[in-house]
Every structure is written in C-alpha cells, then in structure tokens.
Amino acid sequence: MTLSAQPARRHSPWRSIVDNFTALFFALALCAACSRIDTAKAPEDVRDQVQAKLDAVIANGAQSQVPSKRTTFTESELNTALQVNLKEKFPKGISEPQVRLLGDSRIAARAIVDLDEFKRKRTKPSGGSLNLFSGKIPILLRGEVIARDGQGMFKLQSAEANGIPLPRALVLELLATHTRSRNNPNGLNLEKPFELPASIREVTVDAGEVIVVQ
C-alpha cells in the first residue's frame, strides 16, 4: 500500500504499521467464502476515498494519546482496498480477492489461487485433494472474524475449490505457503491471534460494512 500522506515516514515504524494493516485486510478477505461472489473489478473511482480513510486510521493510531475514533468501511470500499489500494501487497499466487460482509462477525470471500505456484513452494509432496487440480482456481472460504481488545483472530469454518471441499489443514497450508516472506518465513496463520495494527481496539463485521474502532 502506498500512503498518500506523510511520505517521509514511509519507512521504519510506518513500514511495519502498513504491513500489519495490510495483513488485517488480507486476512479479512481470505478467512471465508461464497461461490456466487461477483468477480467484477472493483471501481477505481472510490480509490482516493478509501486511501484517505486508511491514511486517517493509521495517522490516528500513530498519536501518543490515541483519540477514540470509529471508521466504517463499506463492503464496496473494502473490496476496493483489496483490489486497488492494496493490490501490490498481495503475494504472488493469490489474486482477485472479493469479500462479502454477512454480519454477526461472519465473512464470505473468494480468491484465485495458483496451485502450481503453491506446489512449487510446498516443502512436502502434493497429495489428496490437490491432485485433482492444477493452474489457477477459485478458492472459496467461510469463517468468522473476532477482533477485540487489540487482538484479532479468525475461525475458519469451511473451504472448497470448484465445489469440492478442502481439508482445513490444507487451506491453512495454502495461505501460509503463499504469504511467506523474509520478515515472516512461516507465512500467515489464520488460527493464530495477532495484534491489531494502528492502535485498533476492535473490528466489528456487520452486514455490508466493517467498523474499525480505535
């Protein structure tokens, strides 16, 4: 994500804040799914509006005494953040994320996963459900977001690829393998609680919107 404000702070503490904030949205997009999500490209005409909200949340969280603040992202804005504002932050092998906000902490999402890339990166032989697929396929997930008291956690409920259920362990391995980096060699683990970035205390998932509370 490229910050539009305070470019001089792009490095050092801001780098980790941006990475954590991206991880939050990335996990929101991939912790659940629905096979009928519309794959139309996110509208870029709201890109600047979304960027302004992201910058405001990060700037508010950087203050020595963080003022209480509630910021609402609509489902459309969240998809714009994932497909436009944060597009370059997604790892190679995962693309076209889409999310639906179902309410009561429930999320439905869809992403295209390059299974050939996953098999190349995987440290153990491929088997089971993976033998049925190759190339880029839609992965559909369903789950619950729990984010309060400054901590975030995700409960993965189900997953499928082209209508075929995927084992929970395989889905977690897919995500971890594709999100490995120099700073995070083990990749993203959806089941592991993590600290919310930018002094965010709570994230509430309502029908059609996410409310970020600082």
Side-chain angles (χ1 to χ4, degrees):
M1 180 177 71
T2 301
L3 296 179
S4 59
Q6 301 184 8
R9 295 188 178 185
R10 186 172 296 174
H11 301 288
S12 192
W14 279 101
R15 181 70 269 160
S16 62
I17 290 175
V18 171
D19 287 344
N20 287 336
F21 202 69
T22 301
L24 171 64
F25 277 91
F26 180 61
L28 283 173
L30 293 179
C31 73
C34 168
S35 60
R36 296 184 179 178
I37 289 178
D38 184 8
T39 57
K41 186 177 181 180
E44 295 198 24
D45 56 353
V46 297
R47 176 186 56 195
D48 293 341
Q49 174 183 328
V50 172
Q51 187 66 54
K53 285 189 175 184
L54 293 173
D55 290 345
V57 169
I58 293 174
N60 191 66
Q63 298 189 52
S64 56
Q65 292 186 339
V66 180
S68 297
K69 181 180 176 66
R70 292 168 60 92
T71 305
T72 299
F73 292 88
T74 66
E75 183 175 288
S76 176
E77 289 174 334
L78 179 57
N79 280 309
T80 297
L82 294 169
Q83 298 177 5
V84 181
N85 300 75
L86 305 178
K87 181 178 179 179
E88 294 184 358
K89 296 294 295 182
F90 274 75
K92 181 180 179 181
I94 297 179
S95 61
E96 300 181 30
Q98 284 247 314
V99 63
R100 279 184 176 172
L101 308 174
L102 305 178
D104 296 326
S105 301
R106 295 175 299 118
I107 286 182
R110 175 186 187 276
I112 302 298
V113 176
D114 187 340
L115 285 186
D116 293 338
E117 180 72 14
F118 167 70
K119 292 175 184 178
R120 285 193 293 270
K121 292 180 177 179
R122 200 179 194 195
T123 58
K124 57 185 178 180
S126 298
S129 302
L130 283 182
N131 289 332
L132 301 174
F133 305 106
S134 63
K136 297 180 179 180
I137 65 171
I139 298 294
L140 312 173
L141 312 169
R142 184 171 285 109
E144 183 180 5
V145 178
I146 301 173
R148 53 177 175 263
D149 299 326
Q151 295 287 315
M153 187 174 67
F154 306 91
K155 291 184 178 180
L156 182 61
Q157 296 174 341
S158 64
E160 63 181 65
N162 288 341
I164 298 178
L166 295 177
R168 180 189 188 89
L170 178 57
V171 174
L172 296 176
E173 184 188 355
L174 271 170
L175 183 56
T177 299
H178 276 301
T179 56
R180 287 173 185 161
S181 65
R182 181 179 302 177
N183 294 330
N184 187 12
N186 294 323
L188 181 65
N189 182 354
L190 284 182
E191 293 187 320
K192 182 179 179 180
F194 64 93
E195 184 177 353
L196 296 173
S199 299
I200 294 173
R201 294 185 290 107
E202 180 180 344
V203 177
T204 301
V205 179
D206 290 334
E209 65 180 19
V210 166
I211 302 172
V212 175
V213 180
Q214 294 173 288

